Amino acid sequence: DIASRYKITLEELDLFVLELDNLCCTIDDFVTVKELQQMGYEFVKTVKRLLNQETIKANDPKELQKVIQDGSTLCIELPQLDHLKARLEQVTWHRMIRSYREKTEKHQLHVLKKHLVEGMKVPPHYIIERELSEMKDMIIEMEVWEERAQKVFESKLPVKLREIQDLIRLGHQVKGFLPSFSILKDSADRARE
């Protein structure tokens, strides 16, 4: 990126302002340089406030995006931009997954797996890790239940009705959509009749 090669750090800008300040003459653009320095420090202060919020749930993606855009326009090299971009990724993914989980009563296995893969690419954060862990647990729970149901369907020997009812009871506790659930339940209902 050509633009970033010509950016100076805040430390270099501080030294430059100090040199201009110590000159015996007046430089016309000195005020502009001082304003740029002030904008750099305001940006750093804003980033600290955003990154030090209690939890990523408190971050507003629109505010993060605006601060990233503002920081990108400054002709100062700001390493804090990378931290902000990482936070924006975390917040965006977290909001998306919370929205999905809150709006969906029975989660689809393929959707959970897709979100899990996307979440693994998001920069680490303890809230993200907790979400990923919960999703992994849900996926395992759904897969194990489906395996048990398939064993019942594929069994050459008769299966006790009580075992099927136990499996159905477990299926009610699973938060995800179980394709074999309704088939197993219909079979158990017919067997009871």
Side-chain angles (χ1 to χ4, degrees), residues 7-50:
K7 290 187 175 188
I8 62 172
T9 65
L10 265 176
E11 291 79 14
E12 291 168 335
L13 187 58
D14 288 343
L15 289 172
F16 185 56
V17 167
L18 189 63
E19 284 180 31
L20 290 177
D21 213 16
N22 288 331
L23 289 176
C24 298
C25 60
T26 307
I27 306 290
D28 292 339
D29 291 331
F30 183 60
V31 173
T32 308
V33 174
K34 287 279 287 178
E35 285 173 0
L36 178 63
Q37 180 190 36
Q38 185 60 38
M39 289 164 66
Y41 280 107
E42 285 298 319
F43 175 82
V44 171
K45 185 176 162 187
T46 302
V47 171
K48 279 184 184 173
R49 178 183 58 80
L50 290 172

Side-chain angles (χ1 to χ4, degrees), residues 97-113 115 138-139 141-142 145-146 167-182 185:
I97 202 63
R98 289 312 312 161
S99 173
Y100 170 72
R101 289 183 63 184
E102 288 165 10
K103 289 179 185 172
T104 310
E105 196 173 306
K106 289 287 185 180
H107 308 299
Q108 299 282 337
L109 184 61
H110 72 280
V111 175
L112 283 176
K113 285 183 174 182
H115 289 321
M138 285 173 63
I139 289 169
E141 187 179 41
M142 292 165 73
W145 191 93
E146 279 294 331
L167 192 54
I168 290 168
R169 216 175 355 269
L170 283 173
H172 278 296
Q173 296 168 5
V174 175
K175 293 176 185 166
F177 172 72
L178 303 168
S180 304
F181 184 82
S182 58
K185 192 169 181 330

Side-chain angles (χ1 to χ4, degrees), residues 47-74:
V47 171
K48 279 184 184 173
R49 178 183 58 80
L50 290 172
L51 295 180
N52 289 335
Q53 290 192 352
E54 197 173 312
T55 155
I56 62 171
K57 296 173 190 175
N59 287 126
D60 177 12
K62 288 179 184 169
E63 183 182 13
L64 289 170
Q65 189 66 55
K66 184 186 180 322
V67 174
I68 289 169
Q69 287 170 346
D70 291 348
S72 299
T73 61
L74 293 175

Side-chain angles (χ1 to χ4, degrees), residues 48-188:
K48 279 184 184 173
R49 178 183 58 80
L50 290 172
L51 295 180
N52 289 335
Q53 290 192 352
E54 197 173 312
T55 155
I56 62 171
K57 296 173 190 175
N59 287 126
D60 177 12
K62 288 179 184 169
E63 183 182 13
L64 289 170
Q65 189 66 55
K66 184 186 180 322
V67 174
I68 289 169
Q69 287 170 346
D70 291 348
S72 299
T73 61
L74 293 175
C75 54
I76 305 172
E77 192 178 303
L78 299 162
Q80 295 86 353
L81 272 172
D82 291 335
H83 301 299
L84 269 187
K85 289 175 184 173
R87 178 57 56 91
L88 180 60
E89 273 186 75
Q90 293 164 342
V91 170
T92 303
W93 183 85
H94 183 260
R95 284 184 176 218
M96 181 267 307
I97 202 63
R98 289 312 312 161
S99 173
Y100 170 72
R101 289 183 63 184
E102 288 165 10
K103 289 179 185 172
T104 310
E105 196 173 306
K106 289 287 185 180
H107 308 299
Q108 299 282 337
L109 184 61
H110 72 280
V111 175
L112 283 176
K113 285 183 174 182
K114 181 179 107 17
H115 289 321
L116 182 67
V117 169
E118 291 166 358
M120 300 293 271
K121 296 174 188 170
V122 173
H125 187 280
Y126 76 93
I127 290 176
I128 302 295
E129 300 306 313
R130 189 172 57 222
E131 287 289 343
L132 291 172
S133 177
E134 286 176 20
M135 287 172 66
K136 285 177 194 171
D137 291 345
M138 285 173 63
I139 289 169
I140 291 168
E141 187 179 41
M142 292 165 73
E143 288 177 336
V144 166
W145 191 93
E146 279 294 331
E147 280 176 28
R148 288 183 64 189
Q150 288 306 311
K151 284 180 184 171
V152 168
F153 295 138
E154 295 165 2
S155 177
K156 305 258 189 272
L157 301 169
V159 180
K160 293 180 182 174
L161 183 58
R162 189 178 67 242
E163 288 176 30
I164 295 173
Q165 289 171 327
D166 287 345
L167 192 54
I168 290 168
R169 216 175 355 269
L170 283 173
H172 278 296
Q173 296 168 5
V174 175
K175 293 176 185 166
F177 172 72
L178 303 168
S180 304
F181 184 82
S182 58
I183 301 166
L184 193 66
K185 192 169 181 330
D186 290 345
S187 300

